[in-house]
Amino acid sequence: MACELLPTGNAPRYILLYEAAEGGAGVLRRLLKDPQAFPAVAREALRICHFNPDTGEDEGHAPGVSEICEAACYDCLLSYSNQLVHRLLDRKAIRDILMDFQSGIVSIAPAATPRTEHLAQLNRLCSSKLEESWLSFLEDNDLHLPSSAQGFIETCKTRPDFFYEEHNAAIYIDGPPHQYPERKQRDLTQTACMEDRGYVVIRFGMNDDWGSIVKKYPTFSGVASEFCGRISRQRPRTRVGCPARVRS
Ligand SMILES: [Zn+2]
């Protein structure tokens, strides 16, 4: 694994981690798929920073070393490659967050905002309780959240309830009004128009088994291709394996 601070310059706000080995080593994929992986990383980071991972107690230095490590030493955070930021490194500043990370789980944000914030935005856009329940269902089951809600698609004069950018998939959750024949016909025409233009239309109702619907479409689960995309734009050769795009 390698990392870079972004944006580069004096005030970086993010840490970009990527797989430096050509073709990738599967590390990022595992961090997403194995619920134990990220806590294990946090635990190892605490150990490297001279903290007891169970208690958080400061052991002061690496085993077998007598000199106390105040902020950082070559046994923990310092390396020759990060010399430019040595004065900023302080192992004590990250203890609490690493302790929290030990009980954390990794979830994938479909946008550049944190998942919780994105979910709140989607909820604000919902036009029915049914749509809100669908979002809660996705959240409770750790599934991918849509990229947007209630966006109008001009060419087919339709406004899907939700949309997944990466999979080009439009989601419609039909409430009781969709049972009327006239409405049913309009829905069919819109679906045909969307499919002709290459969209994947996923339409279901309040009484359908949502569990089997999410199993049927990789749009909702699997390793997020959004995540892959973001990594591959930075480092084209280190692309994490992505699921094939869905085409109905
Ligand atoms: Zn140290």
Side-chain angles (χ1 to χ4, degrees), residues 48-50 60-62 69-77 91:
I48 291 171
C49 289
H50 324 309
H61 50 76
C69 166
E70 270 312 325
C73 68
Y74 278 91
D75 282 311
C76 58
L77 298 176
R91 64 186 180 88

Side-chain angles (χ1 to χ4, degrees), residues 60-202:
H61 50 76
V65 174
S66 53
E67 212 174 314
I68 292 289
C69 166
E70 270 312 325
C73 68
Y74 278 91
D75 282 311
C76 58
L77 298 176
L78 305 189
S79 74
Y80 292 103
S81 61
N82 65 16
Q83 269 176 339
L84 287 178
V85 292
H86 276 188
R87 67 197 158 80
L88 300 174
L89 299 178
D90 181 356
R91 64 186 180 88
K92 290 172 187 164
I94 53 172
R95 191 200 75 141
D96 291 351
I97 196 166
L98 290 174
M99 288 300 283
D100 285 347
F101 279 173
Q102 284 194 93
S103 53
I105 53 158
V106 177
S107 57
I108 300 152
T113 43
R115 185 173 167 112
T116 42
E117 218 173 278
H118 183 66
L119 178 64
Q121 278 169 12
L122 291 171
N123 263 306
R124 281 195 291 275
L125 291 167
C126 282
S127 63
S128 71
K129 287 272 165 234
L130 184 59
E131 287 163 26
E132 287 171 23
S133 333
W134 170 251
L135 289 179
S136 309
F137 172 81
L138 293 176
E139 181 62 4
D140 293 348
N141 290 286
D142 250 333
L143 297 160
H144 294 171
L145 295 174
S147 359
S148 59
Q150 309 293 339
F152 189 63
I153 297 175
E154 182 65 44
T155 43
C156 296
K157 303 268 179 285
T158 176
R159 192 182 296 282
D161 297 322
F162 299 108
F163 193 73
Y164 287 79
E165 207 80 57
E166 276 295 309
H167 289 256
N168 209 22
I171 314 300
Y172 295 86
I173 311 165
D174 294 342
H178 292 265
Q179 297 309 316
Y180 295 107
E182 207 176 284
R183 186 65 190 261
K184 263 190 180 165
Q185 190 47 51
R186 202 175 84 193
D187 290 346
L188 281 174
T189 314
Q190 278 175 347
T191 301
C193 174
M194 295 281 283
E195 287 179 346
D196 286 349
R197 281 160 182 79
Y199 290 99
V200 176
V201 177
I202 304 175

